[in-house]
């Protein structure tokens, strides 16, 4: 049967396309086999000593040893984590730049910011959910408030007289409280601080009435008798703080949340490399000494597949987008 010129060129085009795809696949496979041939950079979009920074350094040491190349941690703080996260989103997908970022820059800020300079769902690809930590809601030990329900009751009886501290606009320590406010129809003024120690200090000094920040900043003051913990933000009691009730146990099951850290790669990073990094990070997270080091900072390793992380991020967006929109206004 005679072919029209159009059909003939279409056939040639298909064969050429298949050839290109096979060549790309072969090149990708060869690249993955040769990878890594030089040090890998793991960007932390927060300062030294932050929870993501601590986790990054624990993980980097083990993964670097397993890969035979150093994994170098680089701090690129600024704009609540947006600066470093954006830098990795714009980086080449060559397998030598990765990111460890958190709830805000990876999910919440897509709703919170009017002009976010990157799209984490399009310009980054998930590697693994590295770990999480509970926020602990706490008040001064001499406040007369003994439970989370006491706090909610006090806010209802004294509208406009309660402030709370967080570790920044768009952080889970803010949005977790905003979720509590939404579910209990209460009001408190948000006062952001640059770090969890400063947020805790604000409570101790009486500048704010309560805070919900990572356990690592709260527990030392609880042990010193200066703060009273009201609830952990997670759905189950943490083995690291077994005496503190969960939000559900405190009477507020719809307010459960966790501060998490995920490792991501630029969108163009080859799948083979993402899978290899996922494998090596999961292996590191399973090591007893890694768990011990993370636990000492009140963090828990998580792990899992890239696909599980993708679904988790989508679920987080669905849960928190209404809360952020309820706050009103957008950051530029």
């Amino acid at each position: 049967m005679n072919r029209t010129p159009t059909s003939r060129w279409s056939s040639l085009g298909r064969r050429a396309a298949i050839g290109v795809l096979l060549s790309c696949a072969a090149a990708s496979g060869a690249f993955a086999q040769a990878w890594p041939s030089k040090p890998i950079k793991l960007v932390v979009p927060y300062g030294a000593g932050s929870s993501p920074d601590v986790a990054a350094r624990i993980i980097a040491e083990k993964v670097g040893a397993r890969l035979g190349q150093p994994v170098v941690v680089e701090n690129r703080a600024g704009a609540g984590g947006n600066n470093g996260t954006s830098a990795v989103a714009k980086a080449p997908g060559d397998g030598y730049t990765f990111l460890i970022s958190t709830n805000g820059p990876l999910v919440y800020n897509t709703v919170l910011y009017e002009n976010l300079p990157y799209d984490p769902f399009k310009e980054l690809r998930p590697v693994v959910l590295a770990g999480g930590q509970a926020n602990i809601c706490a008040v001064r030990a001499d406040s007369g408030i003994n439970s989370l329900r006491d706090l909610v009751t006090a806010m209802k009886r004294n509208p406009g007289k309660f402030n709370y501290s967080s570790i920044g606009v768009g952080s889970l320590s803010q949005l977790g409280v905003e979720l509590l406010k939404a579910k209990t129809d209460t009001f408190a003024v948000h006062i952001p601080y640059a770090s969890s120690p400063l947020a805790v200090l604000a409570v101790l000094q009486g500048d704010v009435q309560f805070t919900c920040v990572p356990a690592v900043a709260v527990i030392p003051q609880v042990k010193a008798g200066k703060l009273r913990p009201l609830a952990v933000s997670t759905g189950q009691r943490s083995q690291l703080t077994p005496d503190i009730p969960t939000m559900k146990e405190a009477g507020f099951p719809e307010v459960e949340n966790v501060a998490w850290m995920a490792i991501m790669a630029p969108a163009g990073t080859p799948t083979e490399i993402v899978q290899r990094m996922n494998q090596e990070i999961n292996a590191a997270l399973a090591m007893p000494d890694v768990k011990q080091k993370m636990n000492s900072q009140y963090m828990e390793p998580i792990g899992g597949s890239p696909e599980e992380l993708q679904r988790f991020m989508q679920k987080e967006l669905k849960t928190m987008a209404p809360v952020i929109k309820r706050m009103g206004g957008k950051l530029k």
Side-chain angles (χ1 to χ4, degrees):
M1 185 177 73
N2 293 330
R3 291 183 178 179
T4 65
T6 301
S7 65
R8 185 173 68 251
W9 284 112
S10 297
S11 177
L12 289 172
R14 283 195 296 271
R15 289 200 297 271
I18 291 170
V20 169
L21 289 173
L22 291 174
S23 297
C24 289
S28 175
F31 178 61
Q33 288 176 4
W35 179 90
S37 60
K38 62 181 181 179
I40 296 166
K41 181 167 60 178
L42 180 58
V43 175
V44 179
Y46 301 98
S50 62
S51 294
D53 177 72
V54 172
R57 294 177 189 281
I58 294 170
I59 293 168
E61 178 186 0
K62 298 296 185 181
V63 173
R66 292 180 62 85
L67 289 173
Q69 288 286 348
V71 176
V72 181
V73 175
E74 178 181 302
N75 298 92
R76 297 193 63 167
N82 287 347
N83 286 354
T85 303
S86 180
V88 176
K90 308 301 182 186
D94 59 4
Y96 290 97
T97 302
F98 290 85
L99 168 77
I100 181 165
S101 195
T102 62
N103 313 44
L106 292 179
V107 177
Y108 306 156
N109 291 356
T110 61
V111 183
L112 184 62
Y113 280 79
E114 184 176 344
N115 296 304
L116 196 66
Y118 62 94
D119 185 336
F121 291 97
K122 293 181 180 179
E123 295 180 270
L124 293 168
R125 62 182 301 178
V127 178
V128 66
L129 187 59
Q133 57 186 330
N135 279 339
I136 295 181
C137 292
V139 295
R140 267 178 44 160
D142 61 359
S143 66
I145 294 172
N146 298 308
S147 67
L148 192 60
R149 191 164 291 282
D150 283 353
L151 176 61
V152 169
T153 299
M155 285 194 288
K156 286 185 174 181
R157 288 177 178 172
N158 303 277
K161 294 186 178 180
F162 276 75
N163 301 332
Y164 74 94
S165 59
S166 83
I167 58 174
V169 175
S171 66
L172 188 64
S173 66
Q174 178 198 10
L175 297 182
V177 175
E178 294 298 324
L179 183 59
L180 175 67
K181 288 164 57 179
K183 297 298 183 181
T184 58
D185 193 26
T186 52
F187 177 78
V189 176
H190 173 226
I191 310 295
Y193 289 83
S195 66
S196 51
L198 290 176
V200 166
L201 181 62
V203 181
L204 296 174
Q205 292 179 337
D207 298 326
V208 300
Q209 283 67 52
F210 69 102
T211 193
C212 293
V213 294
V216 67
V218 174
I219 295 302
Q221 301 301 332
V222 171
K223 291 180 177 179
K226 296 179 180 180
L227 288 182
R228 175 174 291 117
L230 305 180
V232 293
S233 63
T234 48
Q236 297 181 333
R237 288 206 184 201
S238 170
Q239 61 177 346
L240 306 177
T241 54
D243 298 328
I244 303 176
T246 65
M247 288 288 184
K248 182 177 181 179
E249 292 171 331
F252 305 97
E254 296 178 310
V255 191
E256 297 171 0
N257 49 73
V258 62
W260 50 267
M261 297 164 285
I263 293 178
M264 311 286 288
T269 306
T271 297
E272 296 92 337
I273 290 177
V274 169
Q275 291 173 341
R276 176 74 185 281
M277 277 294 280
N278 173 271
Q279 174 186 331
E280 300 300 351
I281 294 168
N282 274 311
L285 293 174
M287 296 178 181
D289 61 327
V290 168
K291 182 177 181 180
Q292 187 276 324
K293 288 176 182 177
M294 292 183 72
N295 285 175
S296 71
Q297 298 296 312
Y298 295 93
M299 295 183 285
E300 297 191 52
I302 300 177
S305 70
E307 293 75 21
E308 287 171 327
L309 173 54
Q310 180 71 37
R311 290 193 293 270
F312 177 76
M313 288 171 62
Q314 292 287 355
K315 182 181 178 182
E316 282 278 279
L317 180 63
K318 183 178 179 180
T319 299
M320 285 300 186
V323 178
I324 297 169
K325 291 175 181 177
R326 179 180 180 271
M327 290 161 50
K330 284 204 171 194
L331 299 177
K332 296 190 182 291

